[in-house]
């Protein structure tokens, strides 16, 4: 039986640490402010945006909300970002993705001042990560590192296999594990004999977006398994599952993250951490 890695608990610890830092800044008269921009009314995005605002409230930071209609133009969005870039009261800027059809997401990400890019998506911050410079790191992979460290998983020298190579998770994840001195392999849809590679992993991080794809046949006994996926079990159900088939893998893993309650809550906690730590 694997030990469960409790993302709910660890994310609350991180938010509580942020809360203390915000309170300490307030004593010196310093405020912390996140600007959140949503374009259109995608229901999932509205839920995420709301949760981000609630997290700001929890830690004592200010949140400024901006909503543009889906019919707004790229130029209007860029103008808003520019206004926030130039506003000294704004520490972090977050444009909720995906943007509605017709918007150029890459241009929008590049328009954010890298020193306010709390999502860590700007190419400057991606570059800083890859050469080991200080900068904002994408929240989900940063959250995985915190889950591992706070669960006393040794990373140095371990075989780490990352399944998935997205710009938001897989690639920064591999860079972060490298920074922690793991031996890192990145797998993807064209990997030949995926099982043979994942079976080598001491630490297996799965971010492929396919429900219950990784079963016990992909996992070495005693491995630490981190599941970044989140899916509805079926379209009419509220029940969630990850990219890992939990029932199959849990009996042989050493440690494992559940879905929900594993990686999920870490993303917003690390957003808060990025926001607050930008003041130090
Ligand atoms: N959409 C889904 N996840 C994220 C995220 O972490 N940041 C932003 N800006 N949009 C998202």
């Amino acid at each position: 039986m694997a030990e469960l890695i409790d993302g709910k608990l660890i994310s609350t610890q991180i938010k509580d640490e942020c809360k203390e830092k915000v309170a300490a800044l307030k004593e010196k008269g310093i405020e912390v402010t996140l600007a959140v921009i949503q374009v259109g009314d995608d229901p999932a995005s509205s839920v995420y945006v709301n949760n981000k605002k609630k997290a700001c409230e929890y830690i004592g930071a200010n949140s400024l909300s901006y909503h543009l209609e889906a019919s707004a133009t790229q130029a209007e969005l860029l103008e808003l970002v520019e206004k926030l870039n130039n506003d000294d009261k704004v520490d972090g800027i977050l444009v909720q993705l995906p943007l509605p059809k017709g918007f150029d997401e890459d241009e929008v990400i590049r328009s954010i001042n890298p020193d306010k890019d709390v999502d860590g998506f700007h190419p400057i911050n991606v570059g800083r990560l890859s050469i080991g410079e200080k900068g904002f790191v994408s929240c989900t992979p940063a959250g995985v590192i915190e889950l591992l460290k706070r669960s006393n998983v040794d990373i140095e020298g371990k075989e780490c296999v990352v399944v998935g190579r997205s710009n938001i998770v897989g690639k920064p994840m591999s860079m972060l594990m490298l920074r922690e001195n793991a031996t890192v392999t990145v797998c993807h849809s064209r990997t030949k004999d995926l099982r043979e590679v994942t079976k080598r992993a001491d630490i297996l991080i799965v971010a492929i977006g396919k429900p219950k794809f990784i079963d016990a046949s992909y996992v070495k006994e005693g491995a630490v398994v981190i599941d970044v996926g989140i899916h509805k079990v079926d379209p009419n159900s509220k029940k969630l599952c990850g990219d890992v088939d939990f029932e199959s893998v849990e009996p042989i893993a050493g440690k494992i993250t559940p879905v929900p309650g594993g990686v999920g809550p870490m993303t917003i906690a690390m957003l808060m951490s990025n926001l607050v730590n930008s003041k130090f």
Side-chain angles (χ1 to χ4, degrees), residues 45 48 52 94-98 119 121 138-140 168 267:
S45 289
Y48 287 130
K52 288 169 187 180
L94 182 150
V95 180
Q96 187 64 29
L97 304 176
D119 265 324
F121 293 167
S138 183
C139 300
T140 302
I168 290 179
T267 302

Side-chain angles (χ1 to χ4, degrees), residues 207-222:
I208 45 178
K210 291 184 186 166
K212 299 192 184 187
F213 183 87
I214 297 290
D215 65 19
S217 69
Y218 289 82
V219 180
K220 178 167 80 176
E221 191 158 348

